[in-house]
Amino acid sequence: MTTPSSPPRAPHQVLDATDIARVVTRIAHEIVERAKGAEDVVLLGIHTRGVHLARRLRAKLAQITGRDIPFGTLDITMYRDDLRLKPARALEHTEIPAEGIDGKLVILVDDVLFSGRTIRAALDALNDIGRPRAVRLAVLVDRGHRELPIRADYVGKNLPTSLREAVQVRLSESDGLDAVLLGDRDYAARSSQALAADPELPE
Amino acid sequence: MTTYLIRNAQILGGAPQDIHIVDGVFAAIGEDLDVQADIDIDAHGLVALPGLVDLHTHLREPGREDAETVLTGTRAAAMGGYTAVHAMANTFPVADSAGVVEQVWRLGRESGYCDVQPVGAVTVGLEGKQLAELGAMHDSAAGVRVFSDDGKCVDDAVIMRRALEYVKAFDGVIAQHAQEPRLTAGAQMNEGRVSGELGLGGWPAVAEESIIARDVLLAAHVGSRVHICHLSTAGSVEIVRWAKAKGWDVTAEVTPHHLLLTDELVRSYDPVYKVNPPLRTAADVEALRQALADGTIDAVATDHAPHPAEDKDCEWAAAAMGMVGLETALSVVQQTMVDTGLLNWEGVADRMSHRPARIGRLAGHGRPVSVGEPANLVLFDPAYRGVVNPDTFATRSRNSPYRGMDLPGRVHATFLRGEATVLAGELVER
Amino acid sequence: MKRHLVSTADLGRDDALLILDTAEELSQFSGRAVKKLPTLRGRTVVNLFFEDSTRTKTSFEVAEKRLSADVINFSAKGSSVSKGESLKDTALTLQAMGADAVVIRHHASGAPARLAGSDWLHGSVINAGDGTHEHPTQALLDAFTLRRHLNPGPGHDLAGRRVAIVGDVLHSRVARSNVHLLTTLGAEVVFVAPPTLLPIGIETWPCRVSYDLDSVLPEVDAVMMLRVQRERMNAAFFPTEREYSRRYGLDGTRLAKLPEHAVVMHPGPMVRGMEITAEVADSPRCTVVEQVANGVSVRMAVLYLLLGGAVFADGHADAPRTELQEAAQ
Ligand SMILES: [Zn+2]
């Protein structure tokens, strides 16, 4: 099937910086609420932008609870199921809090939930690290099109998309500004700027 | 016998002339000959040279017929423009007796493509210990005049001295494969920058040069002539030049591959470049070309060394040494010597026909292209350009280092005593 | 295009740092209770050893198993396979078995290059030591160890560091691989050996050469002792074992001449009493044991990167992005 001849659409903004800040605050409150004061919570950010979001959540939770929430980072590259399809890449740093995750409530944090394969890989990685009491998932955007029985517990925004579209999350820590953009995949692929800003399309 | 009229051939690269071949000899040579012949050949643009003579060919028969036979080797020789080849003695059994040299000689006669002059071994079994029956080999039907343990060096100075002296009785010559064995134990390639980087056992130039130095001194001392096989280093050239300046009876040959290829090729670890003596450096190549041009080196000799595919389709250390060369020799010489202006066609005839025949005391070869002489002739097309494809070679083996290379020139026709062995670039079946 | 690791000369600075950084991350996993990663599940890695080498083979095997690869050990030593011609047949067999990577140790210099350059098999070729040519993963683990001691941190190289490599350079594949890699990483290499044990042409290598160990020691950040086989003595490379160790061996007195921070390395197996005394070998400044541990991480990194389609130097990944990949995202 060839695509219609209309030129690919430029991405448009779905969330701006204020939206993202509000969403992070809301999720933090939800965590405190549902996790009973976030007593045994460990935040694990999934590289790359999940780590930025987890840091923001951690700061917000510290404000709300007055406590320091254990925080770690997770690189799931070695657990990917698509090594044959995508070239190997450099590994990011995986850092598990010193107290570990055994018996804890681990909240995985990522930017976009799409096929669910990244989260599958993250769950496998967790399995090799320890035995949490439970694992929850927080994402900034859920764009649908799941290929695995995985759902998010905390969602910043549900964003219905077509498979032809690409979601680009930009965070000031790595991209200089906060925004979530939605546009045609073709456009994203053609725009070298878009590629430079986001070499790996989300998930 | 078939008669031929060759029209407008450039004899030794000179002005176009017609050549009439009748009864195995050049019957007439001149412009616009008014004669009849069975076959007319248009030789416009072709250079006519006396049939080439190779001092150094490995025909492998008897013993390694999977690599080459006298028949396939002489067909390859004809395709290369040769009318006589010297068949090296390192066969199985070794050509160290009258029986073996006569067998090889007879096989050559039967092939009909090229005269085969057997080389006799200097020592029994090429072992360097006891002189072979040099006189018997000379007295045999093969009439051996050139003796060599090629593949191995006659490294014992006393044996070498005696051999040099002994063959004086019948005007023989010892052709030395100069390789000091202790200095080359485990050697895999030229010792130098590349061998150091590749971690391959080094084959120092001095291993060749020290033997040559010793042997020219020995030859001078006993008043014999000595021939040095496949000179490969600039140092060897210097020694031979010095010996000739002294007036000593020293001759030397160089292979086409040492005129063109360098040890940089070994970086591929492709054993097609593994050869004895090894490919040397660009400076050596340059010195060899100059020496061939100024006559310090007397002859181009192919060291045609066929090997079956499995002996090259392996790692470097396990591979056999040697390259096929009969069918590309003249092209390589054109590229390295003629096209560079170092040698004209007259010089090519001298280094590839006259002098090798003279060194081998080969009657009937290396004669001038003139009326009454035996009609041993090659017609060569120097304007031809083509990519070397060993799969089309007449030799049984495919171990050519020139595969895929652009080389100039092509043999158009070869005549052995008035009979065409090659016509229009194709072997004449017989 | 290189999807093989045959020589460290093929590694650019970025390639080398990618391997070291990846190894650094992977080394974390060796501290965990569950050391295994699923990364190479379903991939077949063949260890093709034409030469005995318990250490290197074990190290590769551990690395392969930690990445969940299917491991086939193909020991060619002593069998009919050790004869030369059959390198090709062996390769064809491995190809038929579906080898995704072949780790090869061979007594002939260039055998891995020959495999990689042939069409006998299509998997990645990893050189685990060929003759007196190269041993790239050894050099990588040496660089990894050096970096940890001299300039730790991801993305860091060895710029300005000086490493002495002492001993039988002539016959050492470790020395050849190290001179390329350490130079690429910005370090300066000084070879120290008797002239008989240095290759002809070494003046063209990117290194300094010294015949005098004592003068070199005070100015280096690391000294790497190469194994010297006693048998070399019989070929007149040096007169006696005693004279060799007196002039080129590392003992306590010489150790004291090294700067405080400098480390002593050895690719193993050590010949105690020859190139190194027991006192030095067992000193805390000797990184031999550490090198062994680092070897596993480095080999995991190489396997992951090569089988994951990374391409070292002058190339780019084979597969362009396809519809299939898009769908898999
Ligand atoms: Zn020879």
Side-chain angles (χ1 to χ4, degrees):
Chain A
M1 288 269 284
T2 50
T3 48
S5 55
S6 60
R9 273 178 308 124
H12 64 280
Q13 188 163 301
V14 233
L15 296 178
D16 64 14
T18 328
D19 298 330
I20 291 174
R22 200 176 52 239
V23 156
V24 169
T25 309
R26 194 190 77 227
I27 292 177
H29 280 288
E30 285 176 17
I31 290 172
V32 174
E33 204 172 297
R34 284 197 236 162
K36 314 211 160 49
E39 290 285 334
D40 56 354
V41 163
V42 174
L43 289 169
L44 283 186
I46 299 173
H47 277 290
T48 306
R49 289 178 186 76
V51 172
H52 305 327
L53 287 169
R55 275 213 185 84
R56 294 185 189 193
L57 270 177
R58 180 198 201 193
K60 201 47 84 177
L61 286 168
Q63 273 179 27
I64 299 168
T65 65
R67 280 183 300 105
D68 214 13
I69 307 292
F71 161 87
T73 60
L74 203 56
D75 179 85
I76 52 90
T77 311
M78 300 304 283
Y79 291 86
R80 277 165 31 185
D81 60 2
D82 59 352
L83 188 61
R84 282 170 198 273
L85 305 175
K86 287 198 277 188
R89 60 180 182 195
L91 302 184
E92 302 285 348
H93 195 51
T94 294
E95 188 144 21
I96 303 302
E99 55 270 45
I101 59 167
D102 285 356
K104 300 287 173 59
L105 177 67
V106 169
I107 298 179
L108 292 171
V109 184
D110 204 0
D111 53 353
V112 180
L113 178 58
F114 184 14
S115 68
R117 288 176 190 270
T118 300
I119 305 305
R120 198 273 313 155
L123 291 171
D124 285 353
L126 277 187
N127 208 30
D128 287 351
I129 294 167
R131 191 177 182 286
R133 176 169 70 76
V135 182
R136 305 281 182 246
L137 172 62
V139 296
L140 182 59
V141 174
D142 180 350
R143 62 165 295 190
H145 303 291
R146 215 74 75 242
E147 293 165 6
L148 295 170
I150 281 170
R151 64 170 178 77
D153 303 278
Y154 307 97
V155 178
K157 184 174 176 60
N158 279 298
L159 193 60
T161 60
S162 109
L163 276 174
R164 287 193 54 242
E165 290 172 312
V167 176
Q168 294 175 45
V169 172
R170 299 188 177 175
L171 295 174
S172 55
E173 292 90 333
S174 49
D175 313 303
L177 81 165
D178 281 2
V180 176
L181 306 176
L182 179 65
D184 278 2
R185 182 177 290 280
D186 288 352
Y187 189 93
R190 275 178 215 182
S191 157
S192 56
Q193 276 176 321
L195 280 178
D198 190 357
E200 325 132 26
L201 294 170
E203 215 185 350
Chain B
M1 274 187 88
T2 319
T3 55
Y4 296 91
L5 178 58
I6 301 165
R7 291 279 186 200
N8 294 312
Q10 298 169 29
I11 299 170
L12 307 184
Q17 288 196 300
D18 299 346
I19 305 169
H20 194 215
I21 299 176
V22 179
D23 287 337
V25 297
F26 298 118
I29 296 175
E31 284 177 35
D32 299 321
L33 288 184
D34 184 19
V35 290
Q36 296 293 313
D38 302 332
I39 297 179
D40 279 20
I41 297 171
D42 175 14
H44 179 80
L46 303 184
V47 172
L49 303 172
L52 307 183
V53 176
D54 193 11
L55 275 170
H56 198 140
T57 317
H58 296 275
L59 291 178
R60 302 297 187 216
E61 191 176 359
R64 285 307 299 267
E65 290 81 358
D66 57 328
E68 194 83 287
T69 62
V70 171
L71 180 60
T72 58
T74 52
R75 284 164 66 94
M79 285 298 284
Y82 286 89
T83 52
V85 298
H86 288 76
M88 276 300 170
N90 61 341
T91 48
F92 303 95
V94 171
D96 58 2
S97 66
V100 180
V101 293
E102 277 192 9
Q103 181 198 352
V104 173
W105 176 75
R106 212 170 8 253
L107 285 167
R109 295 244 302 193
E110 286 162 10
S111 92
Y113 283 97
C114 175
D115 284 353
V116 175
Q117 176 56 54
V119 173
V122 178
T123 63
V124 175
L126 309 176
E127 282 176 355
K129 297 200 173 76
Q130 187 192 344
L131 282 189
E133 289 189 348
L134 308 178
M137 288 189 273
H138 171 262
D139 297 341
S140 73
V144 176
R145 281 258 179 61
V146 181
F147 298 89
S148 180
D149 275 359
D150 182 62
K152 287 187 175 173
C153 181
V154 182
D155 66 305
D156 184 310
V158 172
I159 300 273
M160 187 61 183
R161 174 199 167 140
R162 301 287 182 242
L164 286 167
E165 287 180 298
Y166 191 78
V167 298
K168 280 204 289 188
F170 37 87
D171 197 18
V173 64
I174 306 297
Q176 175 68 296
H177 170 115
Q179 178 189 355
E180 210 289 316
R182 290 276 291 149
L183 281 173
T184 52
Q188 296 287 326
M189 68 171 295
N190 178 49
E191 183 167 49
R193 176 183 179 163
V194 181
S195 66
E197 289 177 26
L198 297 184
L200 287 172
W203 191 311
V206 63
E208 173 174 313
E209 294 153 2
S210 59
I211 292 292
I212 296 176
R214 182 200 73 179
D215 288 354
V216 298
L217 291 167
L218 278 176
H221 179 62
V222 298
S224 298
R225 62 188 182 112
V226 64
H227 177 72
I228 312 297
C229 295
H230 39 55
L231 234 71
S232 72
T233 77
S236 298
V237 166
E238 283 310 306
I239 295 163
V240 170
R241 190 171 279 142
W242 171 74
K244 286 192 166 187
K246 290 272 193 188
W248 300 341
D249 200 351
V250 175
T251 56
E253 69 188 34
V254 63
T255 71
H257 46 270
H258 287 110
L259 289 172
L260 181 61
L261 310 176
T262 70
D263 63 352
E264 288 291 327
L265 290 164
V266 182
R267 291 186 186 279
S268 66
Y269 286 107
D270 186 339
V272 78
Y273 302 116
K274 185 172 175 181
V275 66
N276 176 352
L279 298 179
R280 305 287 189 179
T281 67
D284 294 306
V285 167
E286 189 49 39
L288 293 169
R289 290 183 186 185
Q290 293 298 337
L292 183 63
D294 69 22
T296 303
I297 294 176
D298 300 85
V300 174
T302 64
D303 198 3
H304 175 82
H307 289 290
E310 63 269 24
D311 287 352
K312 289 288 190 181
D313 229 0
C314 54
E315 64 274 23
W316 184 274
M321 293 189 251
M323 304 170 164
V324 295
L326 284 169
E327 288 162 85
T328 44
L330 198 44
S331 290
V332 172
V333 169
Q334 183 189 338
Q335 169 151 328
T336 58
M337 303 300 296
V338 180
D339 292 354
T340 53
L342 288 169
L343 217 55
N344 56 22
W345 290 110
E346 202 179 331
V348 172
D350 182 61
R351 310 296 195 276
M352 296 185 78
S353 181
H354 301 313
R355 286 219 227 177
R358 175 80 196 125
I359 292 165
R361 302 288 191 258
L362 214 51
H365 287 278
R367 307 289 306 162
V369 181
S370 50
V371 174
E373 292 287 351
N376 295 319
L377 189 76
V378 52
L379 295 177
F380 187 71
D381 178 7
Y384 178 85
R385 291 292 179 276
V387 174
V388 178
N389 178 10
D391 300 334
T392 64
F393 282 0
T395 170
R396 180 160 283 183
S397 293
R398 300 287 169 258
N399 52 307
S400 167
Y402 311 112
R403 180 186 291 275
M405 276 178 66
D406 279 302
L407 285 182
R410 182 172 63 159
V411 170
H412 183 81
T414 309
F415 297 87
L416 175 61
R417 277 186 295 278
E419 284 293 355
T421 52
V422 173
L423 271 184
E426 305 277 345
L427 278 165
V428 176
E429 294 302 331
R430 52 186 62 224
Chain C
M1 199 188 75
K2 303 251 163 49
R3 43 189 186 83
H4 310 291
L5 181 58
V6 169
S7 161
T8 52
D10 297 333
L11 296 176
R13 181 178 177 276
D14 290 349
D15 299 321
L17 290 179
L18 175 62
I19 296 172
L20 297 189
D21 291 350
T22 305
E24 196 64 67
E25 279 307 317
L26 291 174
S27 71
Q28 283 188 69
F29 294 105
S30 346
R32 296 193 329 200
V34 181
K35 297 180 172 64
K36 214 175 171 85
L37 293 162
T39 320
L40 297 183
R41 220 164 37 187
R43 302 301 196 90
T44 303
V45 179
V46 179
N47 297 317
L48 176 59
F49 277 62
F50 287 85
E51 207 180 61
D52 283 333
S53 167
T54 317
R55 300 160 157 266
T56 306
K57 188 170 162 187
T58 307
S59 179
F60 267 107
E61 208 172 328
V62 170
E64 290 149 9
K65 288 184 169 161
R66 287 210 178 144
L67 291 172
S68 305
D70 294 330
V71 178
I72 298 175
N73 286 314
F74 206 106
S75 263
K77 177 86 189 344
S79 72
S80 62
V81 190
S82 55
K83 204 166 176 291
E85 300 94 310
S86 50
L87 178 64
K88 179 181 178 176
D89 289 328
T90 308
L92 293 174
T93 307
L94 301 181
Q95 174 63 18
M97 285 177 184
D100 294 294
V102 175
V103 175
I104 176 174
R105 160 68 65 102
H106 203 288
H107 43 80
S109 298
R114 191 91 174 103
L115 268 195
S118 74
D119 53 4
W120 303 336
L121 54 78
H122 302 138
S124 293
V125 174
I126 298 171
N127 182 359
D130 62 328
T132 54
H133 177 225
E134 286 220 33
H135 192 354
T137 58
Q138 176 69 43
L140 282 162
L141 77 88
D142 290 337
F144 182 91
T145 308
L146 280 170
R147 187 172 81 161
R148 276 202 170 172
H149 283 275
L150 303 178
N151 192 18
H156 290 194
D157 62 12
L158 296 170
R161 304 306 195 278
R162 192 174 286 161
V163 182
I165 301 180
V166 184
D168 188 356
V169 176
L170 179 63
H171 300 97
S172 174
R173 47 196 173 209
V174 176
R176 281 175 181 75
S177 283
N178 262 301
V179 74
H180 296 306
L181 183 65
L182 295 180
T183 308
T184 299
L185 290 172
E188 188 195 340
V189 174
V190 189
F191 282 130
V192 185
T196 45
L197 291 176
L198 291 165
I200 294 282
I202 197 163
E203 64 281 357
T204 65
W205 294 22
C207 62
R208 282 205 293 134
V209 171
S210 169
Y211 306 138
D212 179 10
L213 182 56
D214 290 304
S215 70
V216 168
L217 289 175
E219 54 178 48
V220 296
D221 301 290
V223 55
M224 187 183 298
M225 304 305 295
L226 300 173
R227 184 165 65 118
V228 178
Q229 292 175 339
R230 292 196 163 90
E231 303 78 67
R232 301 286 178 217
M233 184 170 89
N234 304 329
F237 285 103
F238 49 87
T240 61
E241 203 177 308
R242 205 176 49 228
E243 171 151 330
Y244 181 86
S245 40
R246 200 185 304 128
R247 291 177 66 88
Y248 296 99
L250 193 61
D251 59 9
T253 318
R254 288 201 165 113
L255 184 67
K257 292 185 178 170
L258 283 170
E260 199 89 339
H261 68 278
V263 290
V264 176
M265 307 176 75
H266 196 298
M270 292 186 279
V271 186
R272 286 172 185 243
M274 185 75 177
E275 72 268 8
I276 195 163
T277 61
E279 179 193 2
V280 178
D282 298 329
S283 90
R285 298 175 73 177
C286 182
T287 62
V288 172
V289 179
E290 205 181 314
Q291 284 169 269
V292 173
N294 294 344
V296 173
S297 304
V298 160
R299 289 175 177 122
M300 284 173 77
V302 167
L303 285 161
Y304 157 66
L305 290 167
L306 281 180
L307 285 170
V311 170
F312 297 138
D314 61 20
H316 43 76
D318 348 20
R321 292 167 72 87
T322 61
E323 284 305 310
L324 182 63
Q325 286 169 257
E326 297 290 316
Q329 289 197 352

